[in-house]
Amino acid sequence: MRRWREEDREPFAAMNADPAVMEHYPAPLTREQSDIMVDRIERQFDERGYSLWALEVIGTGEFIGFTGLAWQTFDAPFLPAAEIGWRLARPAWGHGYATEAARRALRYAFEEAGLTEVISMTATTNLRSQAVMRRLGMTRDPAEDFDHPSVPEHSPLRRHVLYRLRAGSP
């Protein structure tokens, strides 16, 4: 986990253009949208001291995606809050990278950033991410599931689950 480098932009854009990677998002991202996202991530590091860290494979330095904390403020009853999230390139799936990096991000959230709670959310269809959330010890109350206001009304991705983890939880 590290801050972003200029050379991360190209593989990040390729990852964001991959329909399989973006299956649980409304649409793949263009190169311009991907670059804007990197700029927003870096601004959050400057403003909050944390954000979404670029991930690379130890030993090779290969960029494989991101994991980290994003401050969320859209209109929802559980916000504002820090959300833990991840997105990995397809070749990095199934190796435990998301869980490993997310555990490190949670340690940072609670031990260094002083956060008392972290949330995570995803479309109800994203079972792989929900499995990571459970491996992290996060819990879900189905009563808190919600329709994401940024997802089109008739999209099958609109309904989201919400997971939480409080500092000091097992």
Side-chain angles (χ1 to χ4, degrees):
M1 291 172 42
R2 59 166 172 74
R3 293 282 297 259
W4 291 72
R5 299 179 186 141
E6 194 60 33
E7 61 266 24
D8 297 331
R9 289 176 183 267
E10 186 175 329
F12 186 56
M15 182 182 87
N16 289 328
D18 182 336
V21 171
M22 300 302 286
E23 174 185 7
H24 300 288
Y25 293 87
L29 301 181
T30 65
R31 172 62 191 256
E32 180 182 10
Q33 291 169 321
S34 186
D35 285 346
I36 289 169
M37 185 174 178
V38 172
D39 294 340
R40 191 171 53 244
I41 289 167
E42 279 298 305
R43 270 194 312 279
Q44 186 173 295
F45 272 117
D46 295 338
E47 293 167 3
R48 294 202 171 267
Y50 59 81
S51 190
L52 301 169
W53 288 277
L55 293 181
E56 64 180 38
V57 177
I58 295 173
T60 69
E62 174 190 5
F63 174 87
I64 59 168
F66 69 72
T67 300
L69 305 165
W71 192 250
Q72 297 292 349
T73 59
F74 62 84
D75 187 24
F78 53 87
L79 296 178
E83 177 192 15
I84 189 164
W86 44 84
R87 184 179 306 163
L88 276 67
R90 260 194 291 173
W93 293 0
H95 298 280
Y97 295 135
T99 302
E100 177 185 353
R103 283 189 176 123
R104 173 63 189 103
L106 286 170
R107 278 195 307 275
Y108 181 92
F110 297 137
E111 295 172 13
E112 298 178 48
L115 299 174
T116 58
E117 181 178 66
V118 172
I119 64 165
S120 194
M121 64 188 102
T122 191
T124 58
T125 56
N126 191 345
L127 302 180
R128 289 186 308 267
S129 279
Q130 290 180 57
V132 172
M133 294 171 197
R134 288 189 300 274
R135 281 194 293 276
L136 297 172
M138 301 185 90
T139 58
R140 171 183 171 219
D141 177 352
E144 291 187 304
D145 291 357
F146 67 102
D147 291 334
H148 198 297
S150 299
V151 178
E153 190 172 323
H154 298 291
S155 170
L157 302 175
R158 185 167 172 91
R159 194 71 179 161
H160 272 54
V161 295
L162 176 70
Y163 280 75
R164 298 177 181 268
L165 184 66
R166 296 203 47 81
S169 296

